[in-house]
Amino acid sequence: MAYRYLPTGYELYLAKVGAVLGALWGLALGKVEILVWWYLAVMVFDFVTGVWAACKNDVFSPEYFQHGLVKKFLVLAIICLARGLDVCLAFALFDFPVAQCAFLTAFMATDFASSTKNIEEAGYGDVLPPILKRLVASMPSRLEGVISTGLTRAGLPEQPQKESHHDEPSP
């Protein structure tokens, strides 16, 4: 009689959808789930403050809103695809998700900086302490410096700049 407790109909359909989504979530994100949850919180906060600032300044438009949504989904796709890099490098990096952690941290720093800018644009910048404004404004460039230094130490120097042929005299 235990079969009476098994899901049927709509419950079974929801259980199957949940199982597929759970498997995709685990496959796409691997070991960085807590970072993803924190990034999603920062992303939603950035999105809400952006809409709030746009409405407050009378510059909100459906096209701008759609553009923001597309950007957020592209960021999530990049983070999920970074899982593939980590899988490919698993043996070299002792199964540590370096790519996803780096991507998540970079995107989170950028969205956090964007959130503080949105708060200022909405007219509530006085809520933010000056030191926080300075720290947040410098986060993306500081993060880039730390990553660049780490890559150089690992033997991966920056990409050489392509030589410009603009200085050559024209025939």
Side-chain angles (χ1 to χ4, degrees), residues 42 106 108-120 128-143:
V42 171
M108 192 177 305
T110 303
D111 278 6
F112 200 82
S114 174
S115 297
T116 58
K117 181 181 160 210
N118 293 338
I119 290 170
E120 288 188 49
L128 304 169
I131 189 71
L132 178 65
K133 292 178 192 178
R134 219 172 116 206
L135 175 67
V136 170
S138 69
M139 273 195 313
S141 61
R142 286 177 173 222
L143 183 61

Side-chain angles (χ1 to χ4, degrees), residues 1-169:
M1 298 281 189
Y3 63 88
R4 289 188 296 169
Y5 299 112
L6 295 175
T8 59
Y10 191 65
E11 291 174 343
L12 182 60
Y13 174 75
L14 286 178
K16 289 178 181 179
V17 168
V20 169
L21 291 178
L24 290 175
W25 176 270
L27 178 68
L29 300 173
K31 299 178 179 181
V32 295
E33 183 178 352
I34 190 70
L35 287 175
V36 172
W37 284 114
W38 277 108
Y39 177 65
L40 289 174
V42 171
M43 178 190 283
V44 167
F45 184 73
D46 176 43
F47 198 77
V48 168
T49 58
V51 169
W52 176 42
C55 289
K56 183 120 171 122
N57 295 319
D58 292 325
V59 293
F60 181 82
S61 71
E63 294 81 20
Y64 190 72
F65 183 78
Q66 182 181 7
H67 180 71
L69 279 178
V70 169
K71 282 174 39 177
K72 297 301 182 189
F73 282 115
L74 287 173
V75 165
L76 290 174
I78 289 169
I79 290 168
C80 290
L81 291 173
R83 171 79 172 135
L85 288 173
D86 288 333
V87 169
C88 292
L89 298 171
F91 293 111
L93 301 173
F94 306 107
D95 203 26
F96 184 74
V98 173
Q100 278 185 307
C101 289
F103 286 25
L104 277 163
T105 305
F107 285 129
M108 192 177 305
T110 303
D111 278 6
F112 200 82
S114 174
S115 297
T116 58
K117 181 181 160 210
N118 293 338
I119 290 170
E120 288 188 49
E121 287 179 2
Y124 293 95
D126 56 332
V127 171
L128 304 169
I131 189 71
L132 178 65
K133 292 178 192 178
R134 219 172 116 206
L135 175 67
V136 170
S138 69
M139 273 195 313
S141 61
R142 286 177 173 222
L143 183 61
E144 184 177 334
V146 168
I147 291 174
S148 179
T149 302
L151 290 175
T152 303
R153 285 184 187 159
L156 299 169
E158 292 183 30
Q159 293 285 339
Q161 298 294 325
K162 292 183 179 182
E163 292 183 24
S164 174
H165 297 288
H166 298 291
D167 297 335
E168 296 177 7

